[in-house]
Amino acid sequence: MQKKKAVFFDIDGTLWNSDNRIPKSAQTAIRKLRRNGHLAFLCSGRCRSYIQDPELLSLGFDGIVSGCGTMIEYGGETVFYHRIEPELAKYTVKTVRRYGFRPILEGREYLYMDESEFGQDFYGRKLKAEAGERLLSISDEWGRWEISKLSCATENADRETCFEALSPYYDFMIHNEAVVEIVPKGFHKGTGIEAVCRLLGMDLSDTIAVGDSANDLGMMQTAGTAVAMGNGSDAAKKAADYVTSSLEQDGIWNACSHLGLLE
């Protein structure tokens, strides 16, 4: 058996598709690599309140890096959480709205969204269906939010001016012209991997990051080995040491097999 590795898996577009379906081959690969003595972590841009799916969690991950590195769990315990201070949170919401953004606020217990901004939006409907009672109103909870990051719809918004106003406090992960994640400065999935390595006394060279999109670049550039999904973005593939097949074509299994984790 090869040296113990810690494998960090993105969720959306990597472990499951837009219908939240996890291929059986991916489930089998994760369970097998753990039986072989390796560690498996979720490493997601989703905040912890939005990582609740029973099938996903039943795979038995050793830990979870959520909210783009702003929260870390290991062995069922929270070992780190970075909260955006309430006054900064209020300033941020006012600022993004001033420039035409529609925000979704993300925390470890709840997400916050205003129906008036997302009621007819596909993602808004998806969020309502999946988050259930964990989804609250921004307006009704004004200033009482407990959040670590936010995501924004930015169609027809003045993004550059908004970014300039918020740049002292945040980094921006641009997915496309319509979606951006706003994360406290200095945090990304890679900083989460670094924190896990410090906690476990592991070397970064013994880590593997598997992802597909813009917010995975931090972890792909940090980990010892970077894997991009075949269905991933061009940027993710460019950052990868190895490009596996697509999610639907046993991408996780093939990547784990290629890296010797299933032997």
Side-chain angles (χ1 to χ4, degrees):
M1 182 187 299
Q2 66 165 288
K3 188 176 180 182
K4 181 178 180 178
K5 301 289 186 180
V7 191
F8 294 82
F9 296 96
D10 170 53
I11 298 176
D12 296 283
T14 298
L15 284 177
W16 68 23
N17 62 17
S18 59
D19 296 320
N20 297 3
R21 189 187 72 81
I22 309 169
K24 292 294 183 184
S25 61
Q27 299 179 41
T28 302
I30 291 167
R31 291 187 173 113
K32 187 168 184 178
L33 74 85
R34 294 186 71 238
R35 287 198 301 270
N36 285 348
H38 305 294
L39 301 174
F41 290 82
L42 290 173
C43 194
S44 180
R46 288 180 176 233
C47 60
R48 187 62 175 88
S49 59
Y50 200 28
I51 304 175
Q52 299 292 326
D53 184 83
E55 182 181 18
L56 177 65
L57 296 177
S58 72
L59 296 178
F61 291 94
D62 296 281
I64 302 174
V65 177
S66 57
C68 291
T70 57
M71 182 171 174
I72 300 170
E73 296 166 77
Y74 179 69
E77 300 291 331
T78 300
V79 296
F80 176 79
Y81 180 67
H82 175 84
R83 178 182 180 179
I84 298 173
E85 292 298 324
E87 289 305 312
L88 177 57
K90 287 189 284 187
Y91 168 76
T92 303
V93 174
K94 290 176 181 177
T95 300
V96 297
R97 283 178 165 167
R98 182 182 310 127
Y99 294 106
F101 291 25
R102 294 181 291 135
I104 293 173
L105 315 184
E106 306 175 41
R108 59 179 166 181
E109 297 293 338
Y110 297 101
L111 300 107
Y112 306 83
M113 178 189 82
D114 275 346
E115 182 80 16
S116 60
E117 292 180 312
F118 282 93
Q120 302 306 312
D121 183 276
F122 168 79
Y123 184 71
R125 295 196 302 272
K126 180 179 174 66
L127 196 63
K128 286 178 64 176
E130 292 184 19
E133 294 181 353
R134 291 181 179 271
L135 180 62
L136 302 178
S137 163
I138 293 176
S139 299
D140 291 348
E141 299 294 324
W142 183 262
R144 295 188 294 274
W145 325 298
E146 187 263 329
I147 61 172
S148 63
K149 64 181 285 279
L150 57 160
S151 296
C152 296
T154 61
E155 316 94 321
N156 305 314
D158 183 356
R159 299 209 306 188
E160 295 307 315
T161 307
C162 185
F163 292 164
E164 183 177 355
L166 294 177
S167 62
Y169 315 105
Y170 299 100
D171 292 324
F172 310 97
M173 298 179 184
I174 300 170
H175 288 258
N176 52 49
E177 64 182 14
V179 178
V180 63
E181 289 181 83
I182 300 178
V183 183
K185 207 162 191 66
F187 286 92
H188 52 75
K189 292 183 181 183
T191 62
I193 291 177
E194 292 172 339
V196 169
C197 284
R198 289 193 296 270
L199 175 69
L200 301 181
M202 292 188 72
D203 194 287
L204 279 171
S205 63
D206 294 319
T207 63
I208 299 166
V210 188
D212 74 300
S213 71
N215 76 357
D216 296 318
L217 297 180
M219 74 172 184
M220 295 176 76
Q221 292 162 354
T222 300
T225 302
V227 177
M229 302 299 290
N231 52 279
S233 68
D234 290 341
K237 291 177 182 177
K238 185 176 181 179
D241 299 299
Y242 173 70
V243 179
T244 187
S245 51
S246 72
L247 182 160
E248 301 287 3
Q249 296 176 315
D250 302 324
I252 295 296
W253 174 274
N254 291 335
C256 292
S257 178
H258 174 79
L259 295 171
L261 302 174
L262 306 181
E263 298 174 355

